Amino acid sequence: MKRIYLDHAATTPVDPAVVETMLPFFTEYFGNPSSVYTEGRGVKKSIEAARLQIAKAINADPREIYFTGSGSEADNWAIKGIAMKNQAKGKHIITSTIEHHAVLHTCEYLEKQGFEVTYLPVDEDGLISLDDLRNAIRKDTILVTIMFANNEIGTVEPIKEIGEIVKEKGIIFHTDAVQALGNIPVDVKDLNVDLLSISAHKIYGPKGIGALFIRKGVPIDNLIHGGAQERKKRAGTENTAEIVAFGKAAEMATEHLAENAAHMKKLRDLLIKGVMDNIPQVRLNGHPEKRLPGNANFCFDYIEGESILLSLDIIGIAGSSGSACTSGSLDPSHVLLAIGLPAGVAHGSLRLTIGKHTTAEDINYVVDNLIQIIERLRKMSPINADCPIDDAVFDKAAHHHH
Amino acid sequence: MKRIYLDHAATTPVDPAVVETMLPFFTEYFGNPSSVYTEGRGVKKSIEAARLQIAKAINADPREIYFTGSGSEADNWAIKGIAMKNQAKGKHIITSTIEHHAVLHTCEYLEKQGFEVTYLPVDEDGLISLDDLRNAIRKDTILVTIMFANNEIGTVEPIKEIGEIVKEKGIIFHTDAVQALGNIPVDVKDLNVDLLSISAHKIYGPKGIGALFIRKGVPIDNLIHGGAQERKKRAGTENTAEIVAFGKAAEMATEHLAENAAHMKKLRDLLIKGVMDNIPQVRLNGHPEKRLPGNANFCFDYIEGESILLSLDIIGIAGSSGSACTSGSLDPSHVLLAIGLPAGVAHGSLRLTIGKHTTAEDINYVVDNLIQIIERLRKMSPINADCPIDDAVFDKAAHHHH
Amino acid sequence: MEYTDVVMENFTCPKHVGEIEDANGVGQVGSPACGDIMKIFLKINGDGVIEDASFKTFGCGAAVASSSMATDMIIGKTIEEAGKFKNSDVVDALGGLPAEKIHCSVLAAEAIQAAIEDYHKNKA
Amino acid sequence: MEYTDVVMENFTCPKHVGEIEDANGVGQVGSPACGDIMKIFLKINGDGVIEDASFKTFGCGAAVASSSMATDMIIGKTIEEAGKFKNSDVVDALGGLPAEKIHCSVLAAEAIQAAIEDYHKNKA
Ligand SMILES: Cc1ncc(COP(=O)(O)O)c(C=O)c1O
Ligand SMILES: Cc1ncc(COP(=O)(O)O)c(C=O)c1O
């Protein structure tokens, strides 16, 4: 059975051209890039070439790019590194309620270490309010970290405007751009950000390699101490093959950004229209316009997300409910709760994220089948419009918040 | 020109069988292992199979294995995670002066955060003293971290005995076994260790993937917060391909341990004999017997290490001076200083580390050429036995210690 | 997360879905906020034997499969026998459930008890 | 770390290695503890022209190459000209040095100045 993969926000297949770039670095150019000898020196050059490719993709200086082992590590480093280094100035951090767990749980951990964190709310489309941000800034605020684009509902935050507000106050600004790269333009100069996290496996590169942009001069502690790699900022023998792969993937993503985005947007709109026109009692989550080109996120009333996923999987379609790294968890998505959905509704979410190889045929197949799946599951459900059971229960989501 | 690679302690080429195992995970089995759908579930199984391979290699339970982005991350996690989690009990840590920088710099960082660290000295062979250890233990000692085998001089520490002493006192014991795995038996049950770091690229696996063994029940904070991966202990989308590769590499290393070790030991002894018999004023660093089977580390009086490395490189031989990750640094190796060498001598070190594919022919070629290189460089040197210049200067290594 | 073939079968082709018009015992447990609601319908005859059972479920694959398996298992049993029905019976019959899904089998057992209670209440 | 071809040439086939028996200016700088010692030998004629120069160096590739290049560059110069010799002259002639190796060129320049000083001292 042909499979239709619609979970590109979770991860993407590595592009064959990227695999090819990477391969020689396992067996032939395997030398330690920190070494004096020939094997090491050549590899060092390849790493620097990749650094340049990444830098170009986000309009940074290559000396501002530091490779990490994942997007999560980049987020952890940015937040903990800034917090630890600048705590003498203050211990207050501002973030939002819809951040990725790599940001949220890091902030929660810092709260345990005596930092104070303000979690800005979002509106029903998932946007933070600039006024809320202005009001939240205090004398002891040392860091603002707001994601560029949300991984679940696809909403794109006003990073440039946030950057302007924050810069004026002299506060350090980090953005998690893991979902933005390859989907919308990312330009650190234009955006006024001081730190920016990215990850290769979201842009047809391998898993296990990310990067943190650190603007020159921003004072930050290391997260991983040890050897002198990454200009003494991130220890560990360089993951050469994956670094080179990330460079190639970033280059390809930048080169084809407009074309890929247009393609995804067309199919996303086809998908949204197909679902909204043909399935009753459905809600599109996330901002209608300010959203990632490949993201569609729905809530279907009266049914639960995993049963939709399983039903799709059986007929060859891969989608997701909530974020990939929390599936297996029983809590409904913190993002859907943050945009104001009752927990009961949040449980019925389906995220379909389109990639560069998705076709209109795929989308039509998905829509046709989704109509039937939703109908079948709703027939099985004890709740419906006439019998919403206990609205009180429906709203009793309080104990799921945190 | 045929190249002879003798820097296996820095990194190893990925075994072709390991590359083959890894390849399908880039393009075909690329799914997010945390996902519900088919693509994810299969990958999850492969990760768990790799976890079992790693567990077997060190005689642990697979649920005690947590994948990291490097050996350095494993060291950082072990030390910071234990320190942060157990600081209410005490803030004293014991380590040694010859640890890898991933351990040393992490300890130094913790000192800045208010922890106290005792750095145990080593004798001229690089061994710590068990009495020193006993004397260093205090009521507020929460962690002892001593490396299994040293990456520069190859000395193997008495981990089992250390484990017994530490266990009796109820203190948590971590060992950096990055250099041990694949070279000497590593058995966490036998050794009484609570945490143990390993890294794939030292055993013919890829760079950028490591693991931390955490004995069940050991209380530890996360280092990388975020998603629920690695049983909620280490966030970040799993580096599937490299995890699977690490599993395969560990399995191969375990299977061929005795055979590889015997092979390396034979060639190492050939190398040591060749050098000691033919080159005057040379010193073998590290313990004569309690040393890694593939490690040879020499100091040649009156000449400097990098010039030896460059001369070897020109004729196709890759070796190292000090540890790879500190080359480019101007300080002499902290390990050589710790075993009592004056800085001037420590600068003249050469580490040659043998691998499973090294041949006796390779070794003979190296010895023959090394004799000439050392002679040539010594002729160029302003110092020699008759004219050691200023012995006071020679010993003025104090400002290099830290 | 990994479901057994039996779970998948019971999810894709669940037995006894729907309402029983003339059910004389109906039980419902769970809440949408927690992600599962199970409603069980029983038709119990004069001899106290469960002649028919059905369910409607809002929930994950395991919830649907547990409902399907549980209803199938209690049909033909007396209410006494059904009263002893435990969640582990469902888990065993399904060939196991992932740890984080065990609560679905608990819900199924609870829904059956609730339906039997309802039957007793109706009779009283 | 990356050396230019000129550096590698000067390392593998250094010019002017060794001692000048009848040198009338000898300078030495550095220490083994720091990883570099350079000793420069000058033979300066009656007109104050450096007729010959040589070196002995304990140090890395850059140290050897800097010594080789520096001695080669000052031969034929007057001591006045050589007095103005700067480390950047060596770096430029070598086609550049890695940042962490610049100090080798500094040492070479210093060794030359030390040798010239020694010459003046000997004359006085
Ligand atoms: C003893 C020791 N510990 C830790 C490390 C760090 O491992 P990695 O390069 O995977 O971060 C190394 C090697 O670099 C090592 O030799
Ligand atoms: C917005 C966002 N931030 C961070 C991450 C973490 O990236 P990684 O999986 O590389 O750790 C992800 C994806 O998982 C993400 O979508």
Side-chain angles (χ1 to χ4, degrees), chain A residues 229 235-237, chain B residues 9-10 70-73 75 100 102 147 149 151 176 178-179 199 201-202 209 325:
Chain A
Q229 293 91 352
T237 304
Chain B
S70 65
S72 298
E73 186 193 324
D75 284 341
H100 189 268
M147 74 197 316
N151 46 307
D176 175 342
V178 168
Q179 290 290 336
S199 182
H201 74 96
K202 309 286 186 181
I209 186 81
C325 41

Side-chain angles (χ1 to χ4, degrees), chain A residues 75-88:
Chain A
D75 284 341
N76 274 258
W77 181 13
I79 297 169
K80 289 175 190 163
I82 294 297
M84 296 305 285
K85 182 75 175 186
N86 299 280
Q87 50 184 316

Side-chain angles (χ1 to χ4, degrees), chain B residues 168-184:
Chain B
E168 206 174 278
K169 302 274 183 183
I171 299 166
I172 296 173
F173 180 31
H174 166 251
T175 189
D176 175 342
V178 168
Q179 290 290 336
L181 192 68
N183 289 308
I184 52 176

Side-chain angles (χ1 to χ4, degrees), chain A residues 37-238:
Chain A
Y37 44 76
T38 310
E39 284 85 346
R41 287 199 311 265
V43 170
K44 180 99 184 170
K45 277 190 190 167
S46 304
I47 289 180
E48 296 316 314
R51 200 185 304 283
L52 183 60
Q53 288 169 316
I54 303 281
K56 278 188 181 162
I58 62 170
N59 194 24
D61 185 293
R63 282 164 299 177
E64 295 172 321
I65 304 296
Y66 298 88
F67 290 108
T68 64
S70 63
S72 298
E73 185 192 323
D75 284 341
N76 274 258
W77 181 13
I79 297 169
K80 289 175 190 163
I82 294 297
M84 296 305 285
K85 182 75 175 186
N86 299 280
Q87 50 184 316
K89 281 191 212 155
K91 299 188 99 176
H92 181 238
I93 295 168
I94 298 172
T95 185
S96 85
T97 49
I98 61 161
E99 298 297 311
H100 189 269
H101 281 147
V103 169
L104 278 185
H105 290 167
T106 299
C107 287
E108 287 161 14
Y109 183 69
L110 285 176
E111 284 185 284
K112 284 193 207 154
Q113 313 303 326
F115 288 83
E116 252 183 283
V117 181
T118 300
Y119 299 89
L120 297 179
V122 293
D123 66 16
E124 55 173 24
D125 293 328
L127 287 175
I128 71 149
S129 131
L130 296 177
D131 279 336
D132 285 351
L133 170 65
R134 279 191 202 94
N135 293 333
I137 292 176
R138 310 189 324 204
K139 273 217 177 106
D140 61 342
T141 305
I142 50 172
L143 173 68
V144 170
T145 171
I146 302 287
M147 74 197 315
F148 202 153
N150 185 272
N151 46 308
E152 292 189 39
I153 57 175
T155 299
V156 178
E157 302 294 333
I159 295 304
K160 189 176 167 143
E161 289 77 8
I162 298 171
E164 276 162 14
I165 293 170
V166 170
K167 195 181 178 178
E168 205 173 281
K169 302 276 183 181
I171 299 167
I172 296 172
F173 179 31
H174 166 252
T175 189
D176 174 342
V178 168
Q179 290 289 337
L181 192 68
N183 289 305
I184 52 176
V186 176
D187 179 331
V188 295
K189 295 221 171 71
D190 180 52
L191 290 172
N192 283 317
V193 299
D194 297 307
L195 303 114
L196 181 141
S197 308
I198 51 178
S199 181
H201 73 97
K202 310 284 188 183
I203 59 162
Y204 305 91
K207 298 167 186 45
I209 186 80
L212 182 62
F213 155 79
I214 306 176
R215 186 182 296 290
K216 231 168 286 168
V218 170
I220 184 167
D221 268 5
N222 289 4
L223 179 69
I224 299 186
H225 293 85
Q229 293 91 352
E230 297 298 291
R231 295 186 302 299
K232 302 200 179 161
K233 282 210 176 333
R234 198 271 188 179
T237 304
E238 294 89 339

